[in-house]
Amino acid sequence: MWSKWRGKRQLPRTEPGDGSALQPHRPWQMLSRSVFHIELADEDGVARDYAADVRYFSADGTVDFYVDGRQELVSEQPTAFPVPGGVVEVSVGSTGLRRIHLVPDDGGQEHTLTPVRHSAEYWRAVTDHRFPVLSKWIGRVASVILLLGLVLFGPQLLEALTQWEVVGDRFGTYTSPISLPGWANTSLLVAGTAASLERALTLRSHWLIDLKPWWLG
């Protein structure tokens, strides 16, 4: 019921689309654009293709929603688009998609939409299907890297914050017990970026490590 209420609450955020055609997803857009779709039957039993197009570096930060390849709705995210029998919820995090799920009105099982062929999410899903053991270990390593970054950078960030006069005067200063050399910080930065992208491609999110990879900075 919570998911249903949340989706209905977000529906007024949508605006009518201009009817333009959905542009094909290109290989060079793997890290800048995501397109997911699902086929559902309308009230007349006619199968229609519903697609959400997310462009991460667009100026307005909106999500475009298409029906049979034509732009039907546009909305800021997080949002929900109405479809037969439910809504499609879309939420974007700092490194990629957090949610792009079909949420039925009857409270049934949620379903993740299908990524278009040859997108980054598509190839990650192919890897998961063909090499499930390898895929599971990739996911575990990504989580460990982000947790490690949280542990190592957290004290250093706290020390940097307390160096600000307005913070230090009120709460006192803090000296981090951890001080990494430059090469270690750089290596962890690269690994953390890759780990964040990996989790975004599989739509995994946890409030502690995926709220925002603040430590990457």
Side-chain angles (χ1 to χ4, degrees):
M1 292 182 63
W2 163 250
S3 294
K4 180 179 178 180
W5 176 84
R6 180 180 56 191
K8 295 300 184 182
R9 179 175 60 87
Q10 292 173 340
L11 289 180
R13 299 168 62 92
T14 61
E15 298 178 359
D18 58 12
S20 58
L22 175 63
Q23 299 298 314
H25 190 283
R26 303 300 185 184
W28 56 83
Q29 296 176 322
M30 281 191 175
L31 299 180
S32 64
R33 182 187 179 203
S34 294
V35 181
F36 283 69
H37 68 100
I38 189 171
E39 189 174 280
L40 299 169
D42 63 13
E43 296 179 353
D44 298 323
V46 178
R48 298 191 180 279
D49 186 73
Y50 299 86
D53 186 353
V54 181
R55 297 175 184 265
Y56 299 112
F57 303 111
S58 64
D60 52 12
T62 58
V63 179
D64 300 329
F65 195 69
Y66 294 79
V67 180
D68 290 337
R70 293 291 174 180
Q71 189 186 81
E72 184 80 8
L73 296 168
V74 178
S75 176
E76 296 180 357
Q77 63 81 32
T79 188
F81 298 103
V83 295
V87 296
V88 170
E89 293 187 351
V90 183
S91 177
V92 182
S94 56
T95 55
L97 281 171
R98 286 184 174 180
R99 282 182 60 81
I100 188 159
H101 290 68
L102 170 65
V103 181
D105 285 336
D106 60 8
Q109 182 67 38
E110 298 182 3
H111 298 281
T112 305
L113 274 63
T114 303
V116 296
R117 290 179 61 84
H118 305 306
S119 64
E121 294 89 352
Y122 169 83
W123 289 117
R124 183 62 184 84
V126 168
T127 301
D128 185 63
H129 177 72
R130 294 182 179 178
F131 311 101
V133 176
L134 174 63
S135 176
K136 182 180 294 185
W137 277 104
I138 291 174
R140 288 174 177 174
V141 170
S143 297
V144 169
I145 290 174
L146 290 175
L147 285 171
L148 182 62
L150 187 66
V151 171
L152 295 180
F153 279 109
Q156 296 181 82
L157 178 63
L158 182 59
E159 178 181 351
L161 289 175
T162 60
Q163 298 304 311
W164 293 358
E165 185 176 346
V166 64
V167 177
D169 289 346
R170 182 170 183 179
F171 300 102
T173 59
Y174 171 79
T175 301
S176 171
I178 300 173
S179 180
L180 299 178
W183 65 267
N185 281 325
T186 301
S187 299
L188 195 55
L189 171 62
V190 173
T193 302
S196 296
L197 290 174
E198 147 63 21
R199 288 178 61 82
L201 293 179
T202 53
L203 276 71
R204 286 178 295 164
S205 179
H206 186 276
W207 69 270
L208 180 61
I209 61 176
D210 294 307
L211 178 62
K212 184 178 181 181
W214 49 267
W215 56 270
L216 292 181

